[in-house]
Amino acid sequence: MSVPATATPTYPPGQHPDLPPPPGTAGVIGWLRANLFSSVFNTALTLVSVWLIYEFVTAAIDWFVLDAVWEAGSRVDCRKQGDGACWAVIAIRLDQFVYGFYPADQRWRPVLTFVLLFPALAPVLFDRTPYRSQLLWFSLAYPALGAWLIYGGLGLPVVDTDAYGGFLLTMILGVTGIVASLPLGILLALGRQSRLLAIRVLCVTFIEVVRGVPLITLLFIASTMLNYFLPPGTSFDLLIRVLIMVTLFAAAYLAEAVRGGLQALSRGQYEAADSLGLSYWKKTWLITLPQALKIAIPGMVNVFIGLYKDSTLVVIIGLLDPLGVARAVLADAKWNGLSNETYLFIALFFFLSCFAMSRYSLWLEGRLSVDDR
Amino acid sequence: MKSSIRAFSVGLAAMVLLAASLASAGTLDDVRKRGHLICGINTGLVGFAAPDDKGVWKGFDVDVCRAVAAAVFGDANKLKYKHLTGKTRFTALRSAEIDMLSRNTTWTFSRDVDLQLTFVGVNYYDGQGFMAPKKLGVKSAKDLAGASVCIQTGTTTELNLADFFRANNMKYEPVPIETNTEARTNYLAGRCDVYTTDRSGLAATRAATDNPDAHVVLPEIISKEPLGPLVRHGDDQWADIVRWSLNAMIAAEEMGVTSKNVKAMASKENKNKEINRLLGVEELQGRERLGLSKDWAVNLIAQVGNYGEVFETHLGTKTPIGLARGLNAQWTDGGLLYAPPFR
């Protein structure tokens, strides 16, 4: 202000400018004073907290970065170089964490499958993808293509499913489970609301039975009980059995999420569709299902994230998912004892992929809710 | 209720076995036709089965699988592994998903009889022991009255522990733990005074601490844990092949046949006639009945090694685990290893 401090300025009525707040009540200092140092007790709490955070963060940085060892031949070697994290075990065993025991000379196949996942997913996930309608055909063919690339046959050497492990196995379980359970779950949700008694009873029974049983029980059924029911020698691949169980499990949960969406629609939508004379499938496909799925997105993504993380349960039936690989790696006498490093690494992987899924769902919700406003 | 479940599962198993015996001529034929052996191993146990940095599975139990593959095919690598947990191992064997199981499995009466499995021998005599920090000053397990003990739940070790403390009129506080890794972490964090499991496991855990000298494995062995390979009931020829493959490893050590000298010994007459019979220099009566080639044991010893070599590679004093032979020495050295004669 250019007005001298001694003069009292006068203003016409209604023209008085806003005065700045008293010093020390606004800005950074004001915020600090109001929120952190408002009383003696709060000041003490603040100081103690700052000290704790400082101690924790510096110790963490020391362990994670400054004292960490990145190159070593064994745990003992690591400890000689520094007493922080021994990331060498991750560096040396990275291939096993990523591919399990997939043959080294064939690893381009899962890599290619993973790379192709993006053009296959893009038209499904993002409606503004260029050439969307053509790419959707590719998305449709992708499951078969991916299965062929990873398993082999028809010109490619066959890689037994026993060799799959690590993040590759998690991706196979997660992607297959999500992709296969989505249509199945939608059908179950529709079937549960069907007017045909037989279909309704069948769907309700399936959903309630599968939802009433823990996933680990289903996995045990897949890995042990099925062997008893099938004649010996005809037992089909453990991974396929597990994939089927995981898909059924996710489908039952998904069906309930979708049903929630269907029931949240106002009756008017159904009645309007009926009054237009649409057939059941046209009504479902054009009117009710798109709206119901939109409502169900948070619930569905919840199921998917749960399924993705639950895939680690396969370690109990002897499949070498990242946790299984970690156990195997730690069983090497050279690396035995480095459980913190391996489990933190796996946690980071799961956090990143689950966080990506949840961010996508938020984006999709925002995008689809435009017409509601 | 429990007995009806047992009757049900035994009935199922019997049906499966019946069907298996109808469906296949014999395990050996199946294995030959398939072109490789399928062996059930651990998902990871220090010294017994673990992948190396290149992803190749190695270990004391793995080498029993390799020995059988070498005996059957003359090639120890004609072998595929199925990784089995403690819960899935017996079903996998009984349902013919695997040809043999070599997964540090304790030979017990009920497993042998009730589960209808055939233990073909013992490749490691283990026993449950205790590990305690040196600063605790404990010299014997008898001093452990009132101690808190880290114990893996649902295992025979839990029952053995209870028996031992009851027999010695001592109280203890169990700290239940799910896995070995968890037990190690809890023990090192001081959440329990002592950790109990098989002594081979204790040695491995002790070796993986930052200062192994700060921990002692107490002298008491409170249980017998004879670990060995097993097959399912109903195919004696196959059981014999696995049994004598293991015996060949043990006998080879006793007679001084190693992977280095086996080729030389097999190409000449040896003074010890048993060596001649083992290595096919002289005919070993009945060998054809097992369907094995004349040089089966030569291949086995050359590619896998004798028992002592395998022990030193995976468990011995030169490895980080650093186990002494102890009970697993040859009977001539005061141990329990005693292969029946090759005659």
Side-chain angles (χ1 to χ4, degrees), chain A residues 75 79 92-93 96 101 160 162 220 224 227-228 232 241 315-316 318 320 327-328 331-332 334-337 339, chain B residues 16 19 43-46 50-53 55 57 80 82-83 85 87 91 94-95 97 181 184 204 207-210:
Chain A
R75 191 187 65 91
R79 287 289 173 266
I92 288 184
R93 296 297 183 107
Q96 284 173 31
F101 299 91
D160 274 331
D162 295 337
F220 270 124
T224 59
N227 285 337
Y228 285 128
R241 283 181 263 156
V315 73
I316 297 175
L320 293 169
R327 184 154 75 181
D332 185 344
K334 283 201 304 184
W335 300 112
N336 188 10
S339 41
Chain B
V16 168
T43 49
L45 181 67
V46 182
D52 68 4
D53 288 344
W57 284 78
K80 285 198 173 156
K82 274 255 191 294
H83 301 286
T85 65
K87 296 175 182 80
T91 332
R94 288 193 307 188
S95 63
E97 245 185 284
T181 310
R184 175 184 169 279
T209 60
D210 287 336

Side-chain angles (χ1 to χ4, degrees), chain A residues 140-218:
Chain A
L140 208 59
Y142 179 79
L145 180 70
W148 169 63
L149 272 175
I150 288 182
Y151 181 73
L154 300 174
L156 285 175
V158 170
V159 178
D160 274 331
T161 55
D162 295 337
Y164 309 170
F167 301 136
L168 169 65
L169 185 65
T170 304
M171 290 299 287
I172 291 176
L173 287 168
V175 173
T176 315
I178 290 171
V179 169
S181 66
L182 185 57
L184 194 61
I186 292 174
L187 283 180
L188 281 169
L190 293 175
R192 189 166 187 164
Q193 306 220 310
S194 168
R195 261 171 279 168
L196 296 172
L197 181 70
I199 292 183
R200 197 167 64 232
V201 168
L202 205 68
C203 290
V204 170
T205 314
F206 175 85
I207 291 171
E208 294 304 334
V209 166
V210 174
R211 275 207 317 164
V213 173
L215 179 58
I216 190 68
T217 315
L218 291 178

Side-chain angles (χ1 to χ4, degrees), chain A residues 43-66:
Chain A
T43 306
L45 273 186
T46 302
L47 291 178
V48 169
S49 307
V50 166
W51 175 73
L52 280 178
I53 292 172
Y54 171 80
E55 286 288 313
F56 179 78
V57 168
T58 49
I61 289 177
D62 277 353
W63 190 82
F64 276 96
V65 184
L66 296 181

Side-chain angles (χ1 to χ4, degrees), chain A residues 320-354:
Chain A
L320 293 169
D321 84 315
L323 290 181
V325 170
R327 184 154 75 181
V329 166
L330 295 177
D332 185 344
K334 283 201 304 184
W335 300 112
N336 188 10
L338 296 173
S339 41
N340 292 347
E341 287 84 348
T342 48
Y343 288 130
L344 279 171
F345 175 64
I346 293 167
L348 178 71
F349 165 80
F350 274 100
F351 175 76
L352 287 182
S353 27
C354 293

